[in-house]
Amino acid sequence: MRVLTAHLVYPQRTDIIRIKPFFDMHLGSKLCDEDLIDKDIAEVLADPNAYAGLGGDMCDFINRGDKRFQQSQLAPWLQGPVDDIVEAQIERVKEKFKPLADAGKVLFTMAGNHETSILAKYERDVYYEVTKALKRGERQIGLGFDGFVVLYLQRGINRKAPPTKKGKAVAGFTADGQGVNESWRVVLYLHHGYGGGGLEGAGPLALGRVLKHYDADVALLGHRHSKDWISSLELGVSPKGVIRERERVAAFCAGYKRPHRQETGPPKGGTPYEVVKGYAPKAAGCPWLRLIPAEHAVKIEH
């Protein structure tokens, strides 16, 4: 388990920090909603206070040697003379997320069961390849299958550190010498996800157990392709004897795969695994995590 840190500076007291988790994209599958991924990437890029993270199962990574492989279920850009479909998928995710990486907006990358499976079977660490390509500077972004991300939200003000201090992270200033007069620490616990169960209570019960075992303000999980979420309000007492509240949230991020899309054209080709197994229809699209520094509040927004 790893612990990553990131310092996020915002200019105005009323600003809201938004984080878009990209869990379970399954790029390379024809069921992946790439238009929605591109829309969400563009929204992160357009907002100076928005960031992103990759939560595992970035690509489908089901190659021709896998018993689940079906040529008909590959994305259109993998049809035709593509010998190494895994390499093509790696390049696809790198291409899509390069603008976010260049802008310093990628907070973390994670491995999912599809990344760990292809490493175990074919000795190819696709998670490491993507992480290495998206990393910028000294800050680490590779989290693995689960871990913590600690965010330090700092409101910058218009004052600069003395010339001799510039470039150093001294008290009251960021590393680039910008003055800071407020700071808020937010802890995220992230796990690619696990479990199944089709009953409505399965997801919330699993999230409740996560909040019980992990001391974090926010817990985000994937894998289930569901939009379940819960919140928990804790009461405590400050060192000065004042009652204080702490709201914690946890969510399963739905992902970007749509197994129940309407088919067009001649009735040929294979059937998606999810349909064969009788899985319930699931909505696509991951939620936004909203961090409100002025209120020290965390919110999940679907």
Side-chain angles (χ1 to χ4, degrees), residues 50-283:
Y51 300 86
L54 282 68
D57 286 4
M58 299 175 281
C59 302
D60 223 28
F61 293 132
I62 296 177
N63 63 18
R64 295 181 178 89
D66 194 303
K67 64 180 181 180
R68 299 170 295 175
F69 177 79
Q70 297 183 72
Q71 182 73 32
S72 63
Q73 298 304 306
L74 294 179
W77 47 270
L78 284 176
Q79 301 291 346
V82 180
D83 292 327
D84 192 340
I85 61 175
V86 170
E87 178 67 22
Q89 290 175 68
I90 292 172
E91 291 303 313
R92 190 78 166 188
V93 71
K94 286 161 55 175
E95 176 187 359
K96 284 187 179 296
F97 285 88
K98 183 180 183 299
L100 290 179
D102 291 344
K105 288 178 171 286
V106 176
L107 296 178
F108 61 86
T109 59
M110 298 178 66
N113 54 291
H114 281 242
E115 285 84 10
T116 56
S117 177
I118 200 167
L119 175 60
K121 292 180 179 178
Y122 303 102
E123 300 182 9
R124 182 161 189 182
D125 196 343
V126 293
Y127 154 72
Y128 174 76
E129 292 184 47
V130 172
T131 300
K132 182 179 179 181
L134 297 182
K135 181 180 179 296
R136 300 290 185 273
E138 296 299 319
R139 191 179 69 83
Q140 298 297 324
I141 62 172
L143 191 64
F145 209 89
D146 82 322
F148 290 94
V149 177
V150 182
L151 303 177
Y152 294 93
L153 278 59
Q154 301 169 324
R155 185 167 73 90
I157 59 177
N158 294 323
R159 60 187 176 91
K160 291 290 184 178
T164 56
K165 300 292 186 181
K166 189 174 182 180
K168 297 181 181 179
V170 297
F173 297 91
T174 62
D176 64 354
Q178 184 178 18
V180 171
N181 68 350
E182 290 181 5
S183 182
W184 177 35
R185 178 176 178 265
V186 180
V187 178
L188 313 182
Y189 172 70
L190 305 169
H191 193 295
H192 172 67
Y194 47 83
L199 296 179
E200 287 77 5
L205 286 173
L207 294 174
R209 288 190 290 270
V210 171
L211 289 184
K212 176 182 177 182
H213 295 299
Y214 297 93
D215 184 13
D217 301 291
V218 180
L220 297 177
L221 295 83
H223 186 69
R224 292 175 56 91
H225 294 222
S226 67
K227 281 190 174 182
D228 300 305
W229 71 277
I230 65 170
S231 64
S232 173
L233 184 65
E234 297 180 352
L235 295 181
V237 180
S238 73
K240 296 183 178 180
V242 178
I243 293 177
R244 58 187 180 188
E245 298 180 351
R246 178 194 183 199
E247 184 174 15
R248 306 166 68 206
V249 298
F252 277 108
C253 303
Y256 291 88
K257 200 173 184 183
R258 296 183 185 270
H260 298 86
R261 278 183 169 179
Q262 183 172 348
E263 296 284 349
T264 59
K268 62 180 182 179
T271 302
Y273 174 85
E274 294 86 350
V275 175
V276 173
K277 292 294 184 179
Y279 291 167
K282 299 289 180 68

